[in-house]
Amino acid sequence: MPVLMSPDIANKFKEKWLTLHPEEPGTGPDSVHLDDSLTSLHWLQNFSILSADPERPSGAGTGCPSSPQHLLYLKRLGFPRGGTDSPSSPPAGDTAATGMPLYLGSPVTSGSDCTTDPRLANYAQTGSGYPHIPVQTSPPVEVDYKTNPKVKPPYSYASLICMAMQASKQPKVTLSTIYNWITENFCYYRHAEPSWQNSIRHNLSLNKCFMKVPRQKDEPGKGGFWQIDPQYADMFVNGIFKRRRMSANHYSSSSGTHRQSKLLQGRETGYHGTQNGCSFQGGGKRKHMSTKSNTKALRMTKSPLLATEAHSADVLRGDFDLASVFDDVLSGNCSNFEDLDINTALSSLGCEMEASLQGRQHTAGLGRCMGELHIPQQHQHQHHQHLDQDQLLQSHHSLQQFEEPSTLFPEQSEEVVLQPWEEIKEEAQVIPLTLDQGFGLCEGFFTEMQPWERVEAYL
DNA sequence: TGATGTTTAAGATCAT
DNA sequence: ATGATCTTAAACATCA
């Protein structure tokens, strides 16, 4: 599934792009200007989500789209997060997580000159017309979680569970399956104290996004199965897969009526805990969801700078607010650098977008996540609500086809189809979408999917 | 007996 | 400061 997971593909992309857009300023090998960081594709080669481990097969061939070899841990200067590499401090006795440098990789930059080194151009004028958007202040660094036992993956337990569920390709998984997948794919947990397994169980029990499926009487084995609760699978879609605190506007939107009722119901019980937007529950799955405004998301839409910081921080911790991404994408409040964040976040969730070069391509990831839908723009909104299963499967198939680099540039295709980002961008221009509408657009699409597909689309 | 599952509590971090 | 979110720890129950 990953598209730009390897330097090879990135190079191919670069070559293709240079072929198709020789006039593109800043993309030429000889061009040197302050905006190099935003227009050159050098970063793309550095931005390889694929693990540097040469012994492992490529992700595209493994059939495991969420394999952590695709998972990149980005850490940038200027976006610290509490001095830790994970949302929560590691156990005191966990020596594996103490004193570990966050920059484990060798920085690879497009140039050493301060005038061309994007890391030194903190606030460059972007090529997309959004001034003073901070650009890369530190090179992205790859951390191979599969082999590196010293860095705790920045993914919440709920995310890990989802990944394991998705990777299993089964509609339901056992606890041991989750354990195994995590230990196999995250070396950290192979060496960590087994208390993390308690946390996994804790998450499964209290996070109502997860549903226990009792084992049939004739099924041998111990314990039950776990799956994503279909009721809350779409909550992974509405931008709260990993984001705290949904917007009150979101809840008040028409598309969120049903969910709002659930949330209000949960609020009555008054339990304190939620995870990833899905309420923790106790005593038969207690429910609670904050209706507090997600002012963070709002801020992100107001301030590209803040948005960048927030995106970065969330990516670092494995958090990914699809809503914010949608908002940024649709509003155009993305710098190329922010696309990097989006790329990273999407990559961690298995959604890929090709190189983000200019503003119109900000929606590429959206198109990719939405399964490469080619829907007439004037009917997109209505259409997405009537997607049948076949369409979705076809979309999913199209999504998978993007593993092949050739599909990145279907220049040999006789039918020239409008690129999805162009369609969406056009619609966004003609009919400005509010954040809620963006949610609705996405929600409508995904709620038509089978629960498992909905989750899979994000993992 | 160990794995699994539930529940409670507390600490850390972040947003408001 | 406060509340929300997330992690961690622990006690306890159930079951194969």
Side-chain angles (χ1 to χ4, degrees):
Chain A
M1 184 177 295
V3 176
L4 296 175
M5 291 303 190
S6 73
D8 287 343
I9 299 178
N11 280 325
K12 288 180 180 179
F13 184 95
K14 178 183 178 181
E15 293 170 3
K16 290 278 188 176
W17 181 264
L18 291 177
T19 301
L20 296 173
H21 303 273
E23 75 287 356
E24 200 75 25
T27 57
D30 298 328
S31 72
V32 174
H33 58 86
L34 287 174
D35 202 18
D36 178 71
S37 63
L38 298 174
T39 54
S40 84
L41 287 166
H42 291 151
W43 65 268
L44 197 57
Q45 302 177 45
N46 305 334
F47 184 62
S48 170
I49 300 176
L50 185 66
S51 163
D53 187 348
E55 296 180 357
R56 291 207 315 274
S58 68
T62 61
C64 179
S66 63
S67 173
Q69 59 190 311
H70 301 150
L71 304 179
L72 172 68
Y73 183 28
L74 280 175
K75 177 75 177 181
R76 298 191 190 94
L77 289 173
F79 304 126
R81 190 192 172 276
T84 63
D85 59 342
S86 65
S88 204
S89 300
D94 186 357
T95 56
T98 59
M100 287 302 125
L102 294 173
Y103 304 89
L104 301 179
S106 300
V108 182
T109 66
S110 59
S112 57
D113 190 301
C114 64
T115 61
T116 58
D117 188 342
R119 293 173 300 168
L120 302 178
N122 285 340
Y123 293 92
Q125 184 83 14
T126 73
S128 55
Y130 301 100
H132 304 301
I133 294 174
V135 297
Q136 194 172 5
T137 55
S138 171
V141 172
E142 294 181 30
V143 173
D144 187 351
Y145 296 115
K146 195 166 187 175
T147 58
N148 192 329
K150 299 179 180 180
V151 182
K152 183 178 181 179
Y155 307 101
S156 67
Y157 287 121
S159 298
L160 294 174
I161 294 169
C162 287
M163 291 178 194
M165 287 178 170
Q166 193 278 335
S168 75
K169 302 190 181 303
Q170 300 295 324
K172 54 185 182 181
V173 299
T174 63
L175 182 64
S176 61
T177 300
I178 298 172
Y179 288 163
N180 290 334
W181 186 87
I182 293 175
T183 53
E184 287 175 5
N185 292 280
F186 293 95
C187 187
Y188 173 87
Y189 292 106
R190 281 199 294 272
H191 297 80
E193 295 291 322
S195 60
W196 66 269
Q197 296 179 344
N198 187 16
S199 297
I200 292 293
R201 294 194 302 270
H202 166 84
N203 249 274
L204 287 169
S205 291
L206 265 63
N207 193 329
K208 68 180 180 182
C209 291
F210 303 121
M211 188 173 67
K212 185 180 177 181
V213 180
R215 190 181 291 265
Q216 299 296 323
K217 293 182 178 179
D218 55 346
E219 286 184 283
K222 195 172 185 178
F225 296 96
W226 293 92
Q227 69 176 29
I228 303 288
D229 190 333
Q231 279 190 309
Y232 300 99
D234 60 341
M235 297 186 71
F236 289 82
V237 176
N238 291 313
I240 51 178
F241 178 65
K242 290 175 157 301
R243 177 74 64 182
R244 306 173 176 183
R245 295 178 191 138
M246 284 307 299
S247 163
N249 293 334
H250 177 203
Y251 293 141
S252 61
S253 68
S254 56
S255 64
T257 303
H258 174 65
R259 182 174 53 258
Q260 186 181 24
S261 65
K262 297 172 77 71
L263 300 177
L264 290 175
Q265 174 189 357
R267 196 170 51 177
E268 291 172 358
T269 62
Y271 184 52
H272 74 282
T274 66
Q275 277 203 349
N276 295 339
C278 305
S279 308
F280 270 155
Q281 318 170 86
K285 301 237 169 188
R286 285 170 290 202
K287 300 177 181 177
H288 167 74
M289 171 64 76
S290 169
T291 56
K292 210 166 185 176
S293 298
N294 189 352
T295 54
K296 177 180 180 178
L298 295 176
R299 283 204 319 275
M300 293 165 69
T301 66
K302 293 177 181 177
S303 167
L305 191 152
L306 289 174
T308 301
E309 292 181 335
H311 281 169
S312 175
D314 289 334
V315 167
L316 293 180
R317 50 188 296 200
D319 285 2
F320 170 48
D321 183 359
L322 186 65
S324 299
V325 171
F326 269 66
D327 187 54
D328 285 345
V329 163
L330 295 176
S331 64
N333 286 334
C334 292
S335 68
N336 291 324
F337 182 49
E338 289 173 348
D339 283 334
L340 192 65
D341 294 329
I342 296 170
N343 258 324
T344 307
L346 291 176
S347 299
S348 4
L349 298 176
C351 296
E352 294 305 318
M353 63 194 299
E354 51 267 55
S356 342
L357 297 168
Q358 294 299 333
R360 64 169 186 168
Q361 289 184 298
H362 289 291
T363 52
L366 176 60
R368 190 75 62 251
C369 278
M370 297 188 70
E372 203 63 20
L373 292 174
H374 295 283
I375 304 170
Q377 56 176 331
Q378 65 269 31
H379 296 135
Q380 279 184 24
H381 190 68
Q382 300 95 315
H383 220 123
H384 76 79
Q385 295 177 341
H386 303 292
L387 293 171
D388 58 31
Q389 191 67 24
D390 289 338
Q391 286 175 300
L392 293 169
L393 290 174
Q394 186 175 1
S395 299
H396 183 69
H397 179 66
S398 300
L399 183 63
Q400 292 177 323
Q401 284 184 327
F402 273 80
E403 293 176 1
E404 298 299 323
S406 60
T407 61
L408 270 173
F409 298 90
E411 57 189 13
Q412 297 177 357
S413 172
E414 295 186 4
E415 179 186 1
V416 180
V417 210
L418 191 60
Q419 295 299 328
W421 53 79
E422 293 172 333
E423 296 175 5
I424 297 170
K425 186 68 177 182
E426 281 192 43
E427 177 176 296
Q429 289 170 342
V430 174
I431 307 171
L433 291 176
T434 66
L435 188 60
D436 291 343
Q437 288 169 325
F439 284 139
L441 182 71
C442 194
E443 181 183 44
F445 175 83
F446 281 99
T447 50
E448 293 292 329
M449 301 172 66
Q450 291 300 314
W452 188 250
E453 290 173 321
R454 274 181 269 160
V455 175
E456 191 174 41
Y458 277 84
L459 293 174

